[in-house]
């Protein structure tokens, strides 16, 4: 069974995302996290991931560059990606969608709003 990879340089934001998933039955052993894109690529290499939640603004490898790396890889190209970011400008949304994100969420965000965006991308047995 796949895992959810949460990528954000803010520990607070990663915890908000994890808590939203826990409230809907996800156990900690199904939640992976990374503080930047290169760390996230390592997580992808070592785990079966079914969904990625990524921030745009991060050190070293930012979220947009990370999305492009994932979409260029044949093994990972179909993993749903949600971008959660403070980048609200229309041109940023367009650029992220062109890069391959499945959904784009502008901060601030509640756990329930995040869940509403995540749920359509999960398999039927998501909480198992």
């Amino acid at each position: 069974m796949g895992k959810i990879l949460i990528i954000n340089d803010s520990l607070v934001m990663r915890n908000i995302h994890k808590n939203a998933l826990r409230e809907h039955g996800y156990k900690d052993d199904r939640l992976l996290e990374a503080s930047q894109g290169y760390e996230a690529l390592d997580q992808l290499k070592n785990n079966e991931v079914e969904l990625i939640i990524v921030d745009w603004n991060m050190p070293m490898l930012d979220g947009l560059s990370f999305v492009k790396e994932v979409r260029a890889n044949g093994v990972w190209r179909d993993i749903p990606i949600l971008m959660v970011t403070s980048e609200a400008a229309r041109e940023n949304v367009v650029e992220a969608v062109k890069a391959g994100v499945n959904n784009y969420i502008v901060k601030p965000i509640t756990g329930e709003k995040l869940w509403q965006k995540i749920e359509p991308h999960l398999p039927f047995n998501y909480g198992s």
Side-chain angles (χ1 to χ4, degrees):
M1 183 166 307
K3 299 179 180 192
I4 293 180
L5 176 57
I6 301 163
I7 313 156
N8 197 305
D9 58 323
S10 165
L11 176 61
V12 171
M13 287 306 300
R14 291 195 311 267
N15 284 334
I16 288 170
H17 298 343
K18 289 190 303 187
N19 287 336
L21 291 160
R22 286 180 188 125
E23 287 177 17
H24 291 277
Y26 270 87
K27 307 285 188 253
D28 285 342
D29 64 343
R30 301 232 4 246
L31 303 175
L32 303 171
E33 58 185 294
S35 61
Q36 51 92 356
Y38 291 117
E39 182 183 354
L41 290 173
D42 288 340
Q43 290 280 19
L44 280 173
K45 291 174 188 169
N46 297 311
N47 294 281
E48 181 183 331
V49 174
E50 66 186 5
L51 178 71
I52 298 168
I53 303 169
V54 63
D55 186 21
W56 184 311
N57 297 306
M58 296 182 295
M60 298 202 257
L61 183 66
D62 64 75
L64 189 65
S65 299
F66 170 81
V67 169
K68 291 175 182 177
E69 290 275 335
V70 169
R71 292 300 183 232
N73 182 299
V75 175
W76 306 328
R77 118 178 62 209
D78 295 326
I79 299 172
I81 301 175
L82 305 177
M83 184 167 276
V84 179
T85 182
S86 57
E87 298 292 334
R90 178 169 166 59
E91 59 268 16
N92 290 345
V93 176
V94 170
E95 187 175 7
V97 169
K98 284 182 179 178
V101 300
N102 298 83
N103 213 324
Y104 192 94
I105 308 163
V106 178
K107 297 176 192 173
I109 184 167
T110 64
E112 193 54 38
K113 183 178 176 186
L114 177 68
W115 179 252
Q116 289 170 1
K117 299 289 187 173
I118 290 172
E119 190 175 26
H121 300 284
L122 297 174
F124 179 71
N125 61 350
Y126 61 81
S128 302

